[in-house]
Amino acid sequence: MATSELDTPRDDTATAAEVTPAGGASRASRGTSSSATGTRPARQTRSTRTRAIDDAASEAFHHAEANTEGAGRGTRHDAQGETKRVRRTPSSARSAEREQSRVTEQPGFVLHSYPYRETSLIIDVLTRDHGRIALVAKGAKRPHSALRGVLQTFQPLSLAWLGKGELRTLTKAEWVGGLRPLEGDALLSGFYLNELLVKFCARDDPHDKLFQHYLTTLHHLAHGEPAGIILRAFERVLLRETGYAVAFDRCTQTRGKVTADRRYVFHPDWGVRPARGDEPTDWPVVIGQTLLDMEQDDYSRAQTVQQSKLLMRFLLNHHLGGVPLNTRQILLDLQKL
């Protein structure tokens, strides 16, 4: 597995990179190693054992190890006035500050990217321990930059960066592998997941459970499992982990358990309560069995699948303040064809 080191201080300076481009998850058993110095690609043997894709990605993440950076160098003059290079030991305060701003071998996924200046990108990434952050990938738009093949969506990456501000500098990107590529409707569903994460997850707010569930969801989508069911489960975890959702199987008014054959509505701020008939017309009314099934992630009933879609669409729209989701509209338009 190769890496990409990006320590150049200016955007128009060539990236000192050592990267392994993903090359597509369909070639997950092969890797290449390239650097800005022109090192010949290193070939990786194909594994003969098939493992579960999400387990493979998780295992690759767990094997990532932190790297350390060597001390800086300085100059001095000897007694004859000749200039010589000497190693300079930085002050303890400066070293501590630098280490605090350095993150290495952090599991993450690219959610979105957009151009920055002439040759660089800003990538929005979801990381396991630091949440959603923005990174500058210097030189990533250059035609021969190996980063172009690494910074792909829906692929597990090992990332390293410097900086403590809102916009950090990417210093390393390594493709971890272990996930199949998303295709067709699964690809659109993946973009829907990414848009939800960008809109609901605040910067620098880690959600390790949500990160793991995102990895698992990509695995299910890549294996052709029903997108509607997989997306409902992810939406529920997203709302719960970001502080918006309460239990589906408890009535907030009676504090008792939801009854399967009774009709309910979900107040977006307070939770489940019995339907009285005076609710706003855009509030979906569902039976208790649907709420009980949703709490258990059981979508074996057709009525649960249909009603849960309407309920989650209503809750997401409320918490987004009515701002439409672009990917959802695309999916709806395709269903009308």
Side-chain angles (χ1 to χ4, degrees):
M1 200 73 68
T3 60
S4 173
E5 299 291 343
L6 304 177
D7 291 328
T8 52
R10 295 173 49 193
D11 178 57
D12 56 351
T13 304
T15 301
E18 181 181 344
V19 183
T20 296
S26 61
R27 296 177 297 178
S29 58
R30 299 183 61 185
T32 60
S33 175
S34 61
S35 67
T37 58
T39 305
R40 292 175 61 86
R43 187 176 300 275
Q44 200 176 35
T45 58
R46 182 180 299 273
S47 173
T48 58
R49 182 169 59 90
T50 303
R51 67 177 76 178
I53 288 187
D54 54 343
D55 290 341
S58 298
E59 181 179 347
F61 278 149
H62 291 325
H63 279 79
E65 298 178 352
N67 295 330
T68 57
E69 182 174 298
R73 293 180 180 271
T75 62
R76 69 171 175 84
H77 296 275
D78 65 4
Q80 289 75 32
E82 296 181 359
T83 301
K84 295 184 177 180
R85 301 288 296 178
V86 297
R87 187 177 299 276
R88 182 178 59 192
T89 303
S91 66
S92 57
R94 185 176 180 181
S95 297
E97 181 180 359
R98 186 174 180 84
E99 287 304 316
Q100 288 177 359
S101 66
R102 178 192 302 278
V103 176
T104 59
E105 306 299 338
Q106 178 62 210
F109 288 89
V110 174
L111 300 177
H112 178 65
S113 64
Y114 48 95
Y116 179 67
R117 297 181 179 175
E118 294 184 359
T119 62
S120 300
L121 292 173
I122 292 179
I123 56 173
D124 206 339
V125 298
L126 179 70
T127 66
R128 184 188 62 196
D129 302 325
H130 298 266
R132 188 172 69 91
I133 63 173
L135 299 174
V136 177
K138 295 183 178 180
K141 289 171 56 181
R142 294 183 184 277
H144 301 292
S145 172
L147 280 177
R148 294 168 65 94
V150 175
L151 302 178
Q152 302 294 321
T153 53
F154 316 123
Q155 288 301 312
L157 302 174
S158 178
L159 303 170
W161 62 83
L162 282 174
K164 296 188 294 184
E166 184 174 349
L167 190 61
R168 286 90 157 178
T169 300
L170 179 70
T171 59
K172 176 184 174 183
E174 182 180 46
W175 177 60
V176 175
L179 280 177
R180 289 182 180 177
L182 300 183
E183 300 176 347
D185 291 342
L187 182 61
L188 289 176
S189 297
F191 284 121
Y192 173 70
L193 298 179
N194 286 4
E195 187 175 5
L196 286 178
L197 289 169
V198 169
K199 292 185 181 297
F200 275 90
C201 294
R203 298 279 191 193
D204 299 296
D205 188 14
H207 299 283
D208 57 333
K209 292 182 180 179
L210 181 59
F211 179 89
Q212 184 60 42
H213 195 77
Y214 176 73
L215 172 62
T216 303
T217 302
L218 293 181
H219 160 66
H220 291 317
L221 290 174
H223 281 75
E225 298 189 27
I229 296 175
I230 302 304
L231 295 180
R232 297 297 84 77
F234 180 83
E235 291 164 349
R236 189 174 70 87
V237 172
L238 175 71
L239 290 178
R240 183 185 65 204
E241 293 299 319
T242 53
Y244 289 105
V246 296
F248 285 93
D249 61 347
R250 290 286 172 179
C251 180
T252 56
Q253 287 186 341
T254 64
R255 299 189 181 276
K257 194 172 181 63
V258 166
T259 303
D261 57 355
R262 191 170 183 179
R263 299 168 74 247
Y264 294 89
V265 293
F266 196 109
H267 192 292
D269 296 319
W270 300 336
V272 177
R273 69 170 174 81
R276 300 191 299 258
D278 58 350
E279 298 82 16
T281 56
D282 61 335
W283 285 25
V285 178
V286 301
I287 63 169
Q289 186 62 59
T290 293
L291 298 172
L292 295 173
D293 289 344
M294 292 178 66
E295 186 67 23
Q296 299 298 322
D297 280 336
D298 180 3
Y299 295 92
S300 58
R301 296 178 177 85
Q303 188 175 36
T304 298
V305 173
Q306 180 62 28
Q307 290 189 350
S308 64
K309 179 191 297 184
L310 297 176
L311 178 56
M312 294 307 298
R313 184 180 301 173
F314 163 70
L315 292 177
L316 293 172
N317 182 68
H318 172 81
H319 293 306
L320 289 172
V323 178
L325 292 167
N326 297 325
T327 47
R328 174 189 289 166
Q329 188 58 49
I330 293 174
L331 289 171
L332 291 175
D333 291 342
L334 288 176
Q335 290 175 2
K336 295 178 182 178
L337 294 178

